[in-house]
Amino acid sequence: MHDDTSLTTGRVKRVLQERVLPAIYSDSIPLEVSWHELPGEPVTPTKGLALDYVPAQVGTSWGAAWGTTWFHLQGQVPASWASRRVEAIIDLGFDVNMTGFQCEGLIYRPDGNTVKALNPRNQWVPVTESAEGNELVDLYLEAASNPVLLDHHPFLPTEEGDILTSSTRKLYTIRRMDLAVFEPVVHELALDLEVLLDLQEQLPQGPRKMQILQALDNALDVLDLQDITSTAQAARDELADVLAAPAEHSAHQISAIGHSHIDSAWLWPLRETIRKVSRTASSMVELLGDEPDFLYGMSSAQQYKWLKSHRPEVWERVKQAVADERFLPLGGMWVESDTVMPSGESLVRQFLYGQKFFHDEFGVSSKGVWLPDSFGYSPALPQLMRRAGFEWFFTQKISWNQQNKFPHHSFDWEGIDGSRIFSHFPSMDTYNSQLSGEEVAKASRQFREARVTNNSIAPVGWGDGGGGTTREMTGKAKRLSNLEGSAQVRWEHPNQFFDRAKRELPNPPVWVGELYLELHRATLTSQHQTKQGNRRTEQLLVEAELWAATATLYTGSDYPYVQLDELWETVLLHQFHDILPGTSIAWVHREVVGRYAQVIEQVEALILTAQQQLAGDGSTPIAFNRAAFTRNSLSFGQAKALVASSADSVQATAASGGYVLDNGIVRIQVSDQGLITSAVDLATGREAIASGQEANLLQLHQDFPNMWDAWDVDKYYRNQVTDLRELNSMELSSTEDGSQVITISRGFSKSTVIQQLSLAPGDRTVHIAQSTDWHEAEKFLKVAFPLDVRAEQTIAETQFGYHKRVTHMNTSWEAAKFETSMHRFVLAEEPGFGVGLINDSIYGFDVTREAKEARVTTTMRLSLLRAPRFPDPQTDQGIQTHRYGLVIGADIATVTEAGALLNSAERVVVGAQGVEPLVAVTGEGLVVSSVKLSADRSGDLVVRVYESLGRRARGALKINAAYASATTVSLLEDSLAQAAIDLLDGAVPLELSAFEVRTVRFKLSD
């Protein structure tokens, strides 16, 4: 026989698109339409239903960017439609290629109850399953005219990303608002054709492929293209045998879960996400009622709380579906957060607040962490997930790697402390599966553990901007449940998948260390004020808990549970993986910066209140130390009367147009260009700065990635660099504490920088406070420190410890890490000598090695500012501030302490008395992370300690309060088996392994 494959497939595609799909609806009549365009922000459904409506027509333009229009749709089902399924078909001007990224709607009944959402791939509304004829139809539609910002030519700068700058032109045109007869047999035929067409495209030449092609031809031979409805069943009959052929015994098994990865903010503001969640949830509970086997999963406790607060009518439907175990709370986190930049305590609270909400509202807890789309994963996560009680981890983002294919799909992930958690990446490489033939075949073809197990997960549904699973997807799932030539698909709770996968893979492969995403590296720097706000607020909240707990136990004052919970929830929300990384529209970041300011004001007030309660009434300046290290003779959690420093002053002398600063510990030479040319550790005589080079050198790069402007920096950015040496002015001054300060002013392009370089008595750190008036476009600002250190690896702080990365590029895996992450410090060290960089709001850095005459040096550069133009064309324009420092003659203990002190300033309150520490920890390397009262409001004291130096440690934990018992608890503050602690000399003995996090709960005595 001749090969007529292309002839058959071309025939099927045209008939499907031009005849079958349009015939899913046969008879139709227009609805009567009236509308009300809101002038400002959205209103509640109650107010929306009560608006005054005026007549409107199909073909009318509607909806300025970010606007809301309410439509009232009325009609009557014709008597001739009796016993037929009737739906409303509504096309607001959709582009089916932009689901989740444009206009959307939510249908209400007159009583205010929701029906379902409308979006480009879901334009129908159920009216009646079997019409009686003459039924009245009365529906309301809340339509959001969100602008399309990521269009077919993406990443173009636009002012549409903020309601303050968006245009007023109408974006959409009403295309259709009809009542129509739904033809179920035609709908089923369309799915038959699509599934078989997709399947044969993935099959090799052979009997199965040929049989499918012949069945498709046979089906179209009996289909009357002028009478699709009447002949659809005959066509289906021709396809029945090939659809009934069962899957092979070895077929790959796909566990499908309905899904709609709704970004909590991205190309839309937070207020729109609230509506996206309600729209998607409405459609999903409606679909659950239609499809008895279907399961839908949604993560993010914050999104459930939005439903409860803003859409109670949707919340009640969701709550019932959760009780029926059909709508599945996933992930156990407050939001699907970034995991690289939040502090260790922030990640703990993501789990604590997420799981607490699920438990309190639904009586369930998540067994796994569900994070399909975050930009890399911290090596501290495995321990934190395990100590929070999680059993598995799910993501897929690493499939986006630019260079290296990740070698596993089901594996154990090992963190910095040695903890392991069973992890899975879906082998179809998507969290927005449509169950297409290509996706299903890819899942089977790519699965890397197929020798010993044969299961993968498919999150099924439209996501990012919401929408969820469609009836077309559930229809495909039915056909793919047992179909020859295809993987088998079944709806299944992820817990069941992971339980089975772990049984089938008792000795899984192991991946050690961070899950580095070889993409989106610039998210460590974009939107600096957002990152600065995160660092500041998460540090302040931990401080507020310390002083509030101390005040409660010492003075009997009330612990501010409600305020702290609300503030934590705000900070956790803004750690979402498109907010903290700086990849959302201008509107989002404008609001975020404002909210951080509010949080800071409120937290500062809580701190001041607690400290005033502790210090009492008086006129003596009392200094408080929150840092987990001694500062000015104050230990952690201690307060004393402020004593003037008696330390010697720093000596400053002029030299070669610059200055030399010497405090007896280090000697710094600053050139006439304001650059550090020498930094000597006086005890060893070691020079920190590479010979003939200059540190604190600002460098400006062209920064125009191939795509994903706010997300990416491509490695060719290094090919073009401008050293910022030009000096406007340089002045020397001194401070009351004996420090010497060099103030340096520079101008470049349209921007200016002012630096205050200071050295304090007794300090081995040169501190730099920088203010940049930034007016660049598509530029990347870094500050370089070339070091006379042969560092084979850098040591960068991560949550509750540090992470080592080699400095060479021997393999493609190392070469891909040309921009990496840190928290408060990074250290370059060789045996006997090291140099660290500390910071208060910087997360990105890079490292290069140079060799001259067989002498290898290491250059570390901090990433300060970027200027991408999409999605926010004004990213970081204006005044930006940084604080960082060069720690000379450092080891890991030194930079850990220096970084902590930089990020927690000493406070002075006028009062009458000092305060003894509530908590004290002894043992080298043991650091107190947090002190708080328990989340269950029992009044128990919770103390968290971790090992910071990367080695085993012994010590003791004491509290200055009477207590009845002490127990080791999970990060969620739950009891653990055999958790009771035997005290030693009235203290809790501590024996921690490297980077171990230990949480102790004290039941206080009455």
Side-chain angles (χ1 to χ4, degrees):
M1 286 181 75
H2 298 293
D3 184 3
D4 292 331
T5 299
S6 61
L7 190 64
T8 299
T9 57
R11 179 189 185 193
V12 175
K13 289 177 182 177
R14 185 175 185 191
V15 170
L16 179 61
Q17 291 298 321
E18 296 185 22
R19 293 293 185 270
V20 177
L21 290 174
I24 290 174
Y25 295 99
S26 52
D27 299 333
S28 67
I29 59 172
L31 286 160
E32 181 183 329
V33 181
S34 56
W35 71 349
H36 185 112
E37 293 191 280
L38 293 176
E41 286 295 283
V43 297
T44 63
T46 301
K47 292 181 179 178
L49 296 174
L51 294 169
D52 294 326
Y53 290 81
V54 297
Q57 303 294 325
V58 170
T60 301
S61 295
W62 71 280
W66 309 115
T68 300
T69 302
W70 281 81
F71 293 91
H72 189 190
L73 310 176
Q74 296 173 292
Q76 186 171 13
V77 176
S80 59
W81 292 2
S83 76
R84 304 171 79 180
R85 178 179 171 94
V86 178
E87 297 179 351
I89 307 303
I90 301 169
D91 185 346
L92 293 169
F94 296 125
D95 177 350
V96 295
N97 296 312
M98 300 301 297
T99 302
F101 296 90
Q102 55 175 291
C103 61
E104 301 170 13
L106 182 58
I107 295 289
Y108 294 86
R109 296 187 179 92
D111 62 5
N113 286 317
T114 59
V115 181
K116 65 182 291 291
L118 295 173
N119 62 56
R121 300 280 182 164
N122 214 328
Q123 300 181 21
W124 60 276
V125 182
V127 173
T128 177
E129 185 66 35
S130 180
E132 297 178 359
N134 299 317
E135 293 99 326
L136 295 177
V137 178
D138 194 2
L139 300 171
Y140 289 84
L141 165 59
E142 180 192 20
S145 49
N146 302 329
V148 177
L149 302 180
L150 194 67
D151 210 336
H152 303 290
H153 187 341
F155 316 117
L156 292 179
T158 175
E159 297 292 341
E160 298 291 305
D162 194 332
I163 199 169
L164 299 182
T165 57
S166 59
S167 66
T168 58
R169 65 184 177 87
K170 306 295 186 184
L171 300 179
Y172 300 100
T173 300
I174 305 168
R175 291 203 190 103
R176 186 177 184 186
M177 290 185 169
D178 290 347
L179 283 181
V181 174
F182 176 77
E183 300 293 353
V185 177
V186 181
H187 173 72
E188 297 297 327
L189 174 61
L191 290 173
D192 291 345
L193 293 172
E194 186 174 347
V195 167
L196 290 172
L197 186 66
D198 278 2
L199 176 58
Q200 65 81 30
E201 286 181 352
Q202 302 301 319
L203 292 174
Q205 290 292 331
R208 177 60 170 165
K209 183 183 183 81
M210 294 301 106
Q211 289 163 10
I212 291 174
L213 289 168
Q214 187 59 49
L216 289 169
D217 266 333
N218 294 344
L220 297 195
D221 286 345
V222 301
L223 186 66
D224 186 342
L225 300 187
Q226 280 66 52
D227 190 3
I228 298 291
T229 303
S230 297
T231 56
Q233 186 57 54
R236 292 201 73 204
D237 292 342
E238 293 294 332
L239 301 173
D241 287 345
V242 290
L243 284 168
E248 299 88 343
H249 176 73
S250 60
H252 187 68
Q253 305 295 305
I254 294 178
S255 297
I257 179 67
H259 187 244
S260 180
H261 171 74
I262 305 175
D263 286 316
S264 291
W266 181 26
L267 303 180
W268 46 86
L270 286 167
R271 67 91 148 144
E272 194 56 32
T273 311
I274 295 170
R275 299 201 294 177
K276 284 177 175 286
V277 171
S278 63
R279 289 191 284 259
T280 300
S282 295
S283 290
M284 294 305 95
V285 292
E286 186 74 15
L287 189 59
L288 289 170
D290 294 339
E291 300 289 346
D293 296 328
F294 175 57
L295 298 174
Y296 179 74
M298 189 172 92
S299 69
S300 305
Q302 171 68 85
Q303 296 189 359
Y304 288 87
K305 186 171 182 179
W306 279 334
L307 282 178
K308 183 178 180 181
S309 301
H310 295 271
R311 288 292 190 271
E313 70 284 354
V314 182
W315 167 255
E316 291 303 323
R317 298 176 72 192
V318 168
K319 194 169 185 179
Q320 182 58 56
V322 172
D324 295 338
E325 299 183 350
R326 304 285 309 286
F327 198 113
L328 311 177
L330 297 177
M333 298 181 74
W334 191 250
V335 296
E336 289 186 13
S337 77
D338 180 84
T339 70
V340 175
M341 290 177 280
S343 69
E345 281 302 322
S346 289
L347 289 181
V348 170
R349 308 315 167 89
Q350 287 285 351
F351 298 145
L352 174 66
Y353 283 88
Q355 289 284 57
K356 186 175 187 302
F357 184 91
F358 288 161
H359 182 270
D360 291 349
E361 297 295 340
F362 304 127
V364 301
S365 296
S366 297
K367 291 178 66 175
V369 173
W370 183 271
L371 268 177
D373 180 29
S374 195
F375 309 147
Y377 302 92
S378 162
L381 263 181
Q383 175 181 199
L384 302 186
M385 290 188 283
R386 293 306 301 268
R387 291 187 181 275
F390 294 106
E391 299 176 11
W392 54 260
F393 171 65
F394 173 87
T395 187
Q396 73 86 43
K397 196 66 172 188
I398 304 300
S399 69
W400 287 37
N401 275 4
Q402 285 179 318
Q403 287 183 256
N404 299 285
K405 187 78 171 177
F406 194 79
H408 311 299
H409 287 111
S410 292
F411 61 101
D412 267 351
W413 179 23
E414 182 179 313
I416 56 174
D417 73 314
S419 295
R420 293 181 178 181
I421 191 160
F422 190 81
S423 306
H424 178 71
F425 295 173
S427 50
M428 64 171 56
D429 290 347
T430 182
Y431 54 80
N432 289 331
S433 173
Q434 302 168 48
L435 290 180
S436 69
E438 181 182 3
E439 291 170 343
V440 172
K442 187 177 185 180
S444 177
R445 183 175 61 250
Q446 289 199 150
F447 186 65
R448 288 179 174 255
E449 279 65 56
R451 285 193 175 201
V452 287
T453 185
N454 200 23
N455 300 272
S456 66
I457 286 180
V460 179
W462 296 104
D464 292 318
T469 317
T470 65
R471 63 183 176 188
E472 289 76 19
M473 296 170 188
T474 59
K476 289 181 183 180
K478 290 176 184 176
R479 289 158 176 80
L480 296 172
S481 64
N482 191 20
L483 182 62
E484 182 185 357
S486 170
Q488 290 184 273
V489 176
R490 63 173 174 270
W491 299 109
E492 187 173 48
H493 195 303
N495 288 344
Q496 294 173 280
F497 163 82
F498 276 98
D499 288 345
R500 183 173 61 258
K502 285 189 281 188
R503 288 195 305 270
E504 295 180 359
L505 202 60
N507 297 299
V510 178
W511 181 266
V512 179
E514 68 182 327
L515 292 171
Y516 179 90
L517 178 62
E518 296 174 4
L519 197 72
H520 295 357
R521 302 168 181 88
T523 57
L524 298 170
T525 306
S526 297
Q527 297 286 0
H528 174 68
Q529 286 183 314
T530 295
K531 293 171 171 58
Q532 190 174 55
N534 173 74
R535 176 79 67 85
R536 182 68 174 146
T537 54
E538 63 185 6
Q539 300 272 342
L540 284 173
L541 279 167
V542 173
E543 180 179 3
E545 290 172 336
L546 166 67
W547 299 124
T550 306
T552 297
L553 269 61
Y554 284 3
T555 72
S557 60
D558 291 335
Y559 189 80
Y561 291 105
V562 173
Q563 299 97 311
L564 286 171
D565 286 348
E566 290 175 349
L567 293 166
W568 264 118
E569 287 176 7
T570 298
V571 172
L572 298 178
L573 166 60
H574 295 143
Q575 289 172 345
F576 177 73
H577 65 254
D578 271 309
I579 299 179
L580 180 53
T583 52
S584 289
I585 56 175
W587 190 349
V588 172
H589 291 288
R590 171 172 57 81
E591 289 188 334
V592 166
V593 171
R595 289 193 186 99
Y596 278 139
Q598 294 170 359
V599 170
I600 289 170
E601 181 180 2
Q602 293 174 51
V603 181
E604 293 278 12
L606 290 177
I607 292 171
L608 179 60
T609 296
Q611 291 180 336
Q612 288 176 334
Q613 291 167 340
L614 288 164
D617 295 331
S619 57
T620 302
I622 307 295
F624 286 75
N625 178 32
R626 170 262 181 260
F629 299 88
T630 299
R631 167 191 274 127
N632 298 335
S633 79
L634 289 175
S635 58
F636 168 68
Q638 188 177 32
K640 291 181 181 178
L642 187 64
V643 177
S645 173
S646 59
D648 294 335
S649 298
V650 177
Q651 300 300 311
T653 56
S656 303
Y659 299 98
V660 174
L661 307 182
D662 189 328
N663 65 358
I665 297 176
V666 296
R667 182 175 65 245
I668 312 300
Q669 184 162 348
V670 178
S671 73
D672 57 355
Q673 292 183 319
L675 302 173
I676 299 174
T677 55
S678 174
V680 178
D681 174 31
L682 295 176
T684 63
R686 276 292 305 263
E687 172 65 67
I689 307 303
S691 177
Q693 299 198 49
E694 300 151 317
N696 194 34
L697 174 63
L698 293 169
Q699 296 182 310
L700 194 66
H701 295 269
Q702 184 71 52
D703 182 22
F704 192 63
N706 288 350
M707 56 191 301
W708 298 109
D709 296 37
W711 293 257
D712 283 359
V713 56
D714 291 331
K715 61 183 179 182
Y716 56 73
Y717 86 95
R718 288 180 175 172
N719 298 345
Q720 188 180 75
V721 60
T722 301
D723 293 342
L724 305 181
R725 299 176 178 277
E726 186 173 338
L727 192 68
N728 292 342
S729 64
M730 182 167 62
E731 298 178 355
L732 178 69
S733 61
S734 58
T735 63
E736 291 183 0
D737 69 354
S739 298
Q740 293 290 338
V741 180
I742 301 173
T743 301
I744 302 160
S745 174
R746 304 184 191 279
F748 59 94
S749 184
K750 300 177 182 179
S751 304
T752 57
V753 175
I754 297 175
Q755 291 183 329
Q756 289 189 318
L757 186 153
S758 63
L759 182 65
D763 199 349
R764 63 176 57 253
T765 300
V766 181
H767 287 273
I768 296 139
Q770 177 169 311
S771 177
T772 308
D773 191 2
W774 181 246
H775 296 284
E776 305 303 308
E778 296 162 351
K779 294 293 195 293
F780 197 179
L781 181 66
K782 286 181 170 266
V783 60
F785 292 86
L787 306 175
D788 189 11
V789 176
R790 186 181 184 275
E792 296 183 358
Q793 57 198 6
T794 58
I795 302 173
E797 187 183 38
T798 187
Q799 298 93 351
F800 299 119
Y802 57 78
H803 180 53
K804 294 181 178 180
R805 300 183 184 94
V806 297
T807 57
H808 62 71
M809 294 185 291
N810 283 359
T811 72
S812 60
W813 291 90
E814 284 120 18
K817 297 180 181 181
F818 58 82
E819 183 78 8
T820 52
S821 66
M822 65 176 175
H823 279 205
R824 295 173 296 187
F825 68 78
V826 60
L827 172 68
E829 189 177 31
E830 64 181 45
F833 187 75
V835 181
L837 296 177
I838 59 174
N839 74 87
D840 77 333
S841 57
I842 298 167
Y843 293 95
F845 73 100
D846 75 282
V847 178
T848 53
R849 307 169 94 235
E850 297 180 9
K852 290 184 179 180
E853 298 177 355
R855 185 162 186 163
V856 175
T857 61
T858 305
T859 298
M860 296 197 300
R861 299 194 306 164
L862 303 180
S863 302
L864 301 180
L865 291 170
R866 297 186 69 234
R869 300 186 65 211
F870 181 87
D872 177 4
Q874 300 299 318
T875 300
D876 282 341
Q877 300 300 293
I879 302 296
Q880 304 291 337
T881 60
H882 299 79
R883 288 191 303 150
Y884 51 94
L886 176 70
V887 188
I888 303 150
D891 58 15
I892 189 64
T894 307
V895 290
T896 299
E897 179 177 342
L901 292 174
L902 179 64
N903 281 267
S904 58
E906 181 180 87
R907 296 176 181 275
V908 178
V909 172
V910 174
Q913 65 213 14
V915 180
E916 288 306 303
L918 174 62
V919 171
V921 170
T922 58
E924 186 179 8
L926 298 181
V927 176
V928 178
S929 174
S930 68
V931 177
K932 63 188 288 291
L933 295 194
S934 59
D936 62 8
R937 305 190 182 184
S938 64
D940 291 356
L941 181 68
V942 174
V943 180
R944 191 155 22 254
V945 180
Y946 72 98
E947 196 288 316
S948 65
L949 304 182
R951 58 198 187 208
R952 296 176 187 268
R954 288 184 176 181
L957 165 64
K958 288 186 176 182
I959 68 168
N960 189 24
Y963 57 96
S965 63
T967 56
T968 301
V969 294
S970 74
L971 295 180
L972 306 186
E973 303 171 11
D974 296 327
S975 297
L976 301 171
Q978 301 177 337
I981 298 172
D982 295 326
L983 303 182
L984 182 63
D985 296 329
V988 173
L990 297 174
E991 186 170 344
L992 274 63
S993 58
F995 303 127
E996 181 180 346
V997 180
R998 182 77 58 84
T999 308
V1000 181
R1001 180 167 178 158
F1002 296 89
K1003 186 173 184 60
L1004 303 175
S1005 301
D1006 295 332

